Coordinates of all heavy atoms in Angstrom, one line a residue:
Chain A
W75 N 4.4 7.0 21.1 CA 5.6 6.7 20.5 C 5.6 7.2 19.1 O 4.8 6.9 18.3 CB 5.8 5.1 20.5 CG 6.1 4.6 21.8 CD1 6.5 5.3 22.9 CD2 6.0 3.2 22.3 NE1 6.7 4.5 24.0 CE2 6.4 3.2 23.6 CE3 5.7 2.0 21.6 CZ2 6.5 2.0 24.4 CZ3 5.8 0.8 22.4 CH2 6.2 0.8 23.7
L102 N 26.2 -22.3 6.2 CA 25.8 -23.2 5.1 C 26.7 -23.1 3.8 O 26.5 -23.9 2.9 CB 24.4 -22.8 4.6 CG 23.3 -22.9 5.7 CD1 22.0 -22.3 5.3 CD2 23.1 -24.4 6.0
M131 N 16.8 9.3 23.3 CA 16.4 10.7 23.1 C 14.8 10.8 23.2 O 14.3 11.8 23.5 CB 16.9 11.3 21.8 CG 18.4 11.5 21.7 SD 19.1 12.2 23.2 CE 18.4 13.9 23.1
L133 N 13.0 9.2 25.3 CA 12.5 9.0 26.6 C 12.1 10.4 27.2 O 12.6 11.4 26.8 CB 13.6 8.5 27.5 CG 14.0 7.0 27.3 CD1 15.2 6.7 28.2 CD2 12.9 6.1 27.7
G134 N 11.2 10.3 28.2 CA 10.8 11.5 28.8 C 11.9 12.2 29.6 O 12.0 13.4 29.7
H135 N 12.8 11.3 30.1 CA 14.0 11.8 30.8 C 15.2 11.0 30.3 O 15.6 10.0 30.9 CB 13.8 11.5 32.3 CG 12.7 12.2 33.0 ND1 12.7 13.6 33.1 CD2 11.6 11.8 33.6 CE1 11.6 14.0 33.7 NE2 10.9 12.9 34.1
K141 N 19.0 4.2 34.5 CA 18.2 3.4 35.5 C 17.7 2.1 34.9 O 17.4 1.2 35.7 CB 16.9 4.3 35.9 CG 17.3 5.4 36.8 CD 16.1 6.2 37.2 CE 16.4 7.4 38.0 NZ 15.3 8.3 38.3
R145 N 17.9 -2.6 36.6 CA 16.9 -3.6 36.8 C 16.8 -4.5 35.6 O 17.1 -4.1 34.5 CB 15.5 -2.9 36.9 CG 15.4 -1.9 38.1 CD 15.0 -2.6 39.4 NE 15.0 -1.7 40.5 CZ 14.0 -1.1 41.0 NH1 12.8 -1.2 40.4 NH2 14.1 -0.3 42.0
R147 N 13.9 -7.1 34.3 CA 12.5 -7.5 34.5 C 12.1 -8.4 33.4 O 11.9 -7.9 32.3 CB 11.6 -6.3 34.7 CG 12.0 -5.5 36.0 CD 11.3 -4.2 36.0 NE 9.8 -4.3 36.1 CZ 9.1 -4.4 37.2 NH1 9.8 -4.3 38.4 NH2 7.8 -4.6 37.3
S150 N 8.9 -7.5 31.4 CA 8.9 -6.3 30.7 C 9.7 -6.4 29.4 O 10.9 -6.5 29.5 CB 9.4 -5.1 31.5 OG 9.6 -4.0 30.6
I212 N 7.5 -6.3 21.9 CA 7.3 -5.1 22.7 C 6.0 -4.4 22.3 O 5.3 -3.7 23.1 CB 8.5 -4.1 22.5 CG1 8.5 -3.0 23.6 CG2 8.6 -3.5 21.1 CD1 9.8 -2.2 23.7
N217 N -1.9 -2.8 25.2 CA -3.4 -2.8 25.1 C -3.9 -1.9 23.9 O -5.1 -1.5 24.0 CB -4.0 -2.5 26.4 CG -4.4 -3.8 27.1 OD1 -5.2 -4.5 26.6 ND2 -3.9 -4.0 28.3
R218 N -3.1 -1.6 23.0 CA -3.5 -0.9 21.8 C -4.2 -1.9 20.9 O -3.6 -2.9 20.6 CB -2.3 -0.2 21.1 CG -1.6 0.8 21.9 CD -2.4 2.1 22.0 NE -1.6 3.1 22.7 CZ -2.1 4.3 23.0 NH1 -3.3 4.6 22.6 NH2 -1.4 5.2 23.6
V225 N -0.5 -12.7 18.7 CA 0.6 -13.7 18.6 C 1.3 -13.6 17.2 O 2.4 -14.0 17.0 CB 0.0 -15.1 18.8 CG1 1.1 -16.2 18.7 CG2 -0.5 -15.2 20.3
Q386 N -1.5 3.7 17.4 CA -1.8 4.7 18.4 C -2.9 5.7 18.0 O -3.3 6.5 18.8 CB -0.5 5.5 18.8 CG 0.5 4.5 19.4 CD 1.9 5.2 19.6 OE1 2.2 5.7 20.6 NE2 2.6 5.2 18.5
Chain B
V318 N 2.5 -2.1 35.9 CA 3.5 -2.7 36.8 C 4.3 -3.7 36.1 O 5.5 -3.8 36.2 CB 2.8 -3.3 38.0 CG1 3.8 -4.0 38.9 CG2 2.1 -2.2 38.8
V320 N 4.9 -4.2 32.8 CA 5.8 -3.8 31.6 C 6.8 -2.7 32.0 O 7.8 -2.5 31.2 CB 4.9 -3.3 30.4 CG1 3.9 -4.3 30.0 CG2 4.2 -1.9 30.8
C321 N 6.6 -2.1 33.1 CA 7.6 -1.0 33.5 C 9.0 -1.5 33.5 O 9.3 -2.4 34.3 CB 7.2 -0.4 34.8 SG 8.3 1.0 35.3
V323 N 11.7 -0.2 34.6 CA 12.6 0.2 35.7 C 11.9 0.0 37.1 O 12.5 0.3 38.1 CB 13.0 1.7 35.6 CG1 13.9 1.9 34.5 CG2 11.8 2.6 35.6
D338 N 10.5 9.7 40.8 CA 11.9 9.7 40.8 C 12.6 8.6 40.0 O 13.7 8.7 39.6 CB 12.5 9.7 42.2 CG 12.1 10.9 43.0 OD1 11.9 12.0 42.4 OD2 11.9 10.8 44.3
V341 N 11.4 6.8 33.9 CA 12.3 7.4 32.9 C 11.5 8.0 31.7 O 12.1 8.6 30.8 CB 13.3 6.3 32.3 CG1 14.3 5.9 33.4 CG2 12.6 5.1 31.7
G342 N 10.2 7.8 31.8 CA 9.4 8.4 30.7 C 9.4 7.6 29.4 O 9.3 8.2 28.3
C343 N 9.5 6.3 29.5 CA 9.5 5.5 28.2 C 8.1 5.4 27.6 O 8.0 5.1 26.4 CB 10.1 4.1 28.5 SG 9.0 3.1 29.6
Y345 N 5.8 3.1 28.1 CA 5.3 1.8 27.9 C 4.0 1.6 28.7 O 3.1 0.9 28.3 CB 6.4 0.8 28.3 CG 6.3 -0.6 27.6 CD1 7.2 -1.6 27.9 CD2 5.3 -0.8 26.7 CE1 7.1 -2.8 27.2 CE2 5.1 -2.1 26.1 CZ 6.1 -3.1 26.4 OH 6.0 -4.3 25.7
Q348 N 1.1 2.6 26.8 CA 0.6 1.7 25.8 C 0.0 0.5 26.4 O -0.9 -0.2 25.7 CB 1.8 1.2 24.9 CG 2.7 2.3 24.4 CD 2.1 3.2 23.3 OE1 1.0 3.0 23.0 NE2 2.8 4.2 22.9
A349 N 0.4 0.1 27.6 CA -0.1 -1.2 28.2 C -1.4 -1.1 28.9 O -2.1 -2.1 29.0 CB 1.0 -1.7 29.1
K361 N 8.2 16.1 26.9 CA 9.2 15.5 27.8 C 8.7 15.4 29.2 O 8.0 16.3 29.7 CB 10.5 16.3 27.8 CG 11.3 16.2 26.5 CD 12.0 14.8 26.4 CE 12.5 14.6 25.0 NZ 13.0 13.3 24.8
S461 N 6.1 -17.7 19.1 CA 5.7 -17.5 17.7 C 6.8 -16.8 16.9 O 7.1 -17.2 15.7 CB 4.4 -16.8 17.5 OG 4.5 -15.5 18.0
R481 N 23.7 -25.6 -4.1 CA 24.9 -26.4 -4.0 C 24.7 -27.7 -4.9 O 25.5 -28.1 -5.6 CB 25.2 -26.9 -2.6 CG 26.7 -26.9 -2.3 CD 27.0 -26.6 -0.9 NE 26.3 -27.5 0.0 CZ 26.2 -27.2 1.3 NH1 26.5 -26.1 1.8 NH2 25.6 -28.1 2.2

Side-chain angles (χ1 to χ4, degrees):
Chain A
W75 286 345
L102 296 172
M131 294 313 292
L133 290 175
H135 296 298
K141 287 180 181 176
R145 299 274 173 97
R147 295 170 65 89
S150 169
I212 196 169
N217 261 301
R218 297 284 184 185
V225 175
Q386 296 169 95
Chain B
V318 172
V320 302
C321 181
V323 294
D338 293 332
V341 294
C343 66
Y345 204 178
Q348 311 291 0
K361 289 286 168 191
S461 65
R481 219 150 58 201

